[in-house]
mmCIF file with all atom_site columns, all heavy atoms in Angstrom:
data_model
loop_
_atom_site.group_PDB
_atom_site.id
_atom_site.type_symbol
_atom_site.label_atom_id
_atom_site.label_alt_id
_atom_site.label_comp_id
_atom_site.label_asym_id
_atom_site.label_entity_id
_atom_site.label_seq_id
_atom_site.pdbx_PDB_ins_code
_atom_site.Cartn_x
_atom_site.Cartn_y
_atom_site.Cartn_z
_atom_site.occupancy
_atom_site.B_iso_or_equiv
_atom_site.pdbx_formal_charge
_atom_site.auth_seq_id
_atom_site.auth_comp_id
_atom_site.auth_asym_id
_atom_site.auth_atom_id
_atom_site.pdbx_PDB_model_num
ATOM 1  N N   . VAL K 1 102 ? 64.757 -75.222 -14.540 1.00 96.00 ? 316 VAL K N   1
ATOM 2  C CA  . VAL K 1 102 ? 64.514 -73.774 -14.596 1.00 96.00 ? 316 VAL K CA  1
ATOM 3  C C   . VAL K 1 102 ? 64.890 -73.181 -13.244 1.00 96.00 ? 316 VAL K C   1
ATOM 4  O O   . VAL K 1 102 ? 64.455 -73.707 -12.212 1.00 96.00 ? 316 VAL K O   1
ATOM 5  C CB  . VAL K 1 102 ? 63.033 -73.487 -14.912 1.00 96.00 ? 316 VAL K CB  1
ATOM 6  C CG1 . VAL K 1 102 ? 62.742 -71.984 -14.847 1.00 96.00 ? 316 VAL K CG1 1
ATOM 7  C CG2 . VAL K 1 102 ? 62.656 -74.027 -16.291 1.00 96.00 ? 316 VAL K CG2 1
ATOM 8  N N   . PRO K 1 137 ? 36.291 -50.376 -18.529 1.00 96.00 ? 351 PRO K N   1
ATOM 9  C CA  . PRO K 1 137 ? 35.293 -49.591 -19.284 1.00 96.00 ? 351 PRO K CA  1
ATOM 10 C C   . PRO K 1 137 ? 34.105 -50.483 -19.641 1.00 96.00 ? 351 PRO K C   1
ATOM 11 O O   . PRO K 1 137 ? 34.246 -51.701 -19.761 1.00 96.00 ? 351 PRO K O   1
ATOM 12 C CB  . PRO K 1 137 ? 36.057 -49.190 -20.550 1.00 96.00 ? 351 PRO K CB  1
ATOM 13 C CG  . PRO K 1 137 ? 37.469 -49.527 -20.324 1.00 96.00 ? 351 PRO K CG  1
ATOM 14 C CD  . PRO K 1 137 ? 37.576 -50.489 -19.216 1.00 96.00 ? 351 PRO K CD  1
ATOM 15 N N   . LEU K 1 166 ? 46.822 -34.432 -22.937 1.00 93.00 ? 380 LEU K N   1
ATOM 16 C CA  . LEU K 1 166 ? 45.659 -34.986 -23.602 1.00 93.00 ? 380 LEU K CA  1
ATOM 17 C C   . LEU K 1 166 ? 44.451 -34.984 -22.669 1.00 93.00 ? 380 LEU K C   1
ATOM 18 O O   . LEU K 1 166 ? 43.339 -34.652 -23.062 1.00 93.00 ? 380 LEU K O   1
ATOM 19 C CB  . LEU K 1 166 ? 46.025 -36.409 -24.050 1.00 93.00 ? 380 LEU K CB  1
ATOM 20 C CG  . LEU K 1 166 ? 45.023 -37.437 -24.508 1.00 93.00 ? 380 LEU K CG  1
ATOM 21 C CD1 . LEU K 1 166 ? 44.343 -37.016 -25.765 1.00 93.00 ? 380 LEU K CD1 1
ATOM 22 C CD2 . LEU K 1 166 ? 45.751 -38.758 -24.767 1.00 93.00 ? 380 LEU K CD2 1
ATOM 23 N N   . GLN K 1 309 ? 52.155 -26.043 -14.622 1.00 91.00 ? 523 GLN K N   1
ATOM 24 C CA  . GLN K 1 309 ? 51.603 -26.534 -13.386 1.00 91.00 ? 523 GLN K CA  1
ATOM 25 C C   . GLN K 1 309 ? 50.649 -25.525 -12.766 1.00 91.00 ? 523 GLN K C   1
ATOM 26 O O   . GLN K 1 309 ? 49.817 -25.871 -11.941 1.00 91.00 ? 523 GLN K O   1
ATOM 27 C CB  . GLN K 1 309 ? 52.770 -26.829 -12.418 1.00 91.00 ? 523 GLN K CB  1
ATOM 28 C CG  . GLN K 1 309 ? 52.460 -27.797 -11.308 1.00 91.00 ? 523 GLN K CG  1
ATOM 29 C CD  . GLN K 1 309 ? 52.068 -29.167 -11.841 1.00 91.00 ? 523 GLN K CD  1
ATOM 30 O OE1 . GLN K 1 309 ? 52.655 -29.655 -12.787 1.00 91.00 ? 523 GLN K OE1 1
ATOM 31 N NE2 . GLN K 1 309 ? 51.062 -29.774 -11.251 1.00 91.00 ? 523 GLN K NE2 1
ATOM 32 N N   . GLU K 1 316 ? 35.611 -18.139 -18.352 1.00 93.00 ? 530 GLU K N   1
ATOM 33 C CA  . GLU K 1 316 ? 35.026 -19.020 -19.353 1.00 93.00 ? 530 GLU K CA  1
ATOM 34 C C   . GLU K 1 316 ? 35.771 -20.363 -19.463 1.00 93.00 ? 530 GLU K C   1
ATOM 35 O O   . GLU K 1 316 ? 35.440 -21.200 -20.294 1.00 93.00 ? 530 GLU K O   1
ATOM 36 C CB  . GLU K 1 316 ? 35.019 -18.323 -20.717 1.00 93.00 ? 530 GLU K CB  1
ATOM 37 C CG  . GLU K 1 316 ? 33.835 -17.377 -20.928 1.00 93.00 ? 530 GLU K CG  1
ATOM 38 C CD  . GLU K 1 316 ? 33.908 -16.127 -20.030 1.00 93.00 ? 530 GLU K CD  1
ATOM 39 O OE1 . GLU K 1 316 ? 35.019 -15.746 -19.591 1.00 93.00 ? 530 GLU K OE1 1
ATOM 40 O OE2 . GLU K 1 316 ? 32.847 -15.554 -19.748 1.00 93.00 ? 530 GLU K OE2 1
ATOM 41 N N   . ASN K 1 355 ? 30.357 -17.147 -26.785 1.00 96.00 ? 569 ASN K N   1
ATOM 42 C CA  . ASN K 1 355 ? 29.736 -17.342 -28.093 1.00 96.00 ? 569 ASN K CA  1
ATOM 43 C C   . ASN K 1 355 ? 29.314 -16.033 -28.745 1.00 96.00 ? 569 ASN K C   1
ATOM 44 O O   . ASN K 1 355 ? 29.371 -15.912 -29.965 1.00 96.00 ? 569 ASN K O   1
ATOM 45 C CB  . ASN K 1 355 ? 28.546 -18.308 -27.987 1.00 96.00 ? 569 ASN K CB  1
ATOM 46 C CG  . ASN K 1 355 ? 29.026 -19.754 -28.032 1.00 96.00 ? 569 ASN K CG  1
ATOM 47 O OD1 . ASN K 1 355 ? 29.440 -20.239 -29.071 1.00 96.00 ? 569 ASN K OD1 1
ATOM 48 N ND2 . ASN K 1 355 ? 29.009 -20.422 -26.889 1.00 96.00 ? 569 ASN K ND2 1
#
Side-chain angles (χ1 to χ4, degrees):
Chain K
V316 174
L380 166 64
Q523 202 61 40
E530 278 68 24
N569 277 289

